Amino acid sequence: GYEAADREKSIRDQRWIIEHATLIRTDQMERFARLGVLVAAQFQPYRGRPGPDEAVPMREMLDRGLIVSSGSDWPGSTNNPFVPFYFYVTRKTEDGRVRGAAQKITREEALRVATINNAYMTWDEKIKGSIEPDKLADFLILSDDILTVPEEQIRSIRPLATYVGARKVFSLEGGGF
């Protein structure tokens, strides 16, 4: 369907998105990359969902130049953003089993996928997704450094404070902010 639409009028640079690309194949990645289609990944394998260990092939998608975002809207899934981050970095499920170790990505890549890439997908990269001059001052103060904390502690990271437009809108009681 994407290729048919592209034949009518180019979809490149229109930021068309493939959603729930959990079981995306290599040939599909190549076709999406050629068309400039973005990928909204989901991390269902964390909960031991059926499917191959290579489900949500983050490493391969990034290596093929696809712009990938993270998140989950899976029923019964967690709303803790550090859980998909943990899965993409470790490829460990809830029960500690590694699924698709070759698909691990770095913490820096996982952070980009969750911030800058998410903003890009909604055409908001000029105002959010990174901390830079002239962008919204939305940020979190975390309990630990997500780039250096031991892997097994990533899921335990908690926001101590949340700022939106440079205004504190949340502060964990006793969190110090």
Side-chain angles (χ1 to χ4, degrees), residues 52-111:
D53 283 351
E54 288 72 30
V56 193
M58 295 295 281
R59 171 82 280 134
E60 193 171 355
M61 289 189 287
L62 294 177
D63 287 350
R64 293 185 182 285
L66 289 167
I67 296 175
V68 183
S69 70
S70 68
S72 180
D73 60 0
W74 189 262
S77 183
T78 179
N79 63 359
N80 179 346
F82 305 113
V83 171
F85 188 100
Y86 170 81
F87 176 72
Y88 295 142
V89 168
T90 67
R91 296 299 292 200
K92 289 182 184 175
T93 62
E94 269 182 321
D95 62 7
R97 191 174 51 134
V98 176
R99 293 193 65 186
Q103 297 301 330
K104 290 180 184 179
I105 62 175
T106 68
R107 294 176 193 221
E108 290 82 1
E109 288 169 323
L111 187 59

Side-chain angles (χ1 to χ4, degrees), residues 12-69:
R12 180 165 280 293
D13 302 322
Q14 298 302 309
R15 301 189 192 179
W16 283 30
I17 300 172
I18 182 72
E19 188 69 52
H20 293 269
T22 306
L23 299 174
I24 187 171
R25 298 183 321 258
T26 301
D27 64 308
Q28 292 170 322
M29 288 182 226
E30 291 168 356
R31 291 162 70 190
F32 289 140
R34 200 169 46 251
L35 293 167
V37 173
L38 313 177
V39 178
Q42 305 291 318
F43 79 107
Q44 291 91 334
Y46 177 76
R47 293 281 170 135
R49 303 280 183 233
D53 283 351
E54 288 72 30
V56 193
M58 295 295 281
R59 171 82 280 134
E60 193 171 355
M61 289 189 287
L62 294 177
D63 287 350
R64 293 185 182 285
L66 289 167
I67 296 175
V68 183
S69 70

Side-chain angles (χ1 to χ4, degrees), residues 3 11 24 34 37 42 48 56 70 75 85 98 102 110 120 123 126 128 134 159-160 162-164:
E3 289 170 330
I11 65 170
I24 187 171
R34 200 169 46 251
V37 173
Q42 305 291 318
V56 193
S70 68
F85 188 100
V98 176
Y120 183 83
W123 297 87
K126 291 182 180 171
K128 62 183 180 179
D134 299 323
L160 300 178
T162 303
Y163 288 77
V164 177

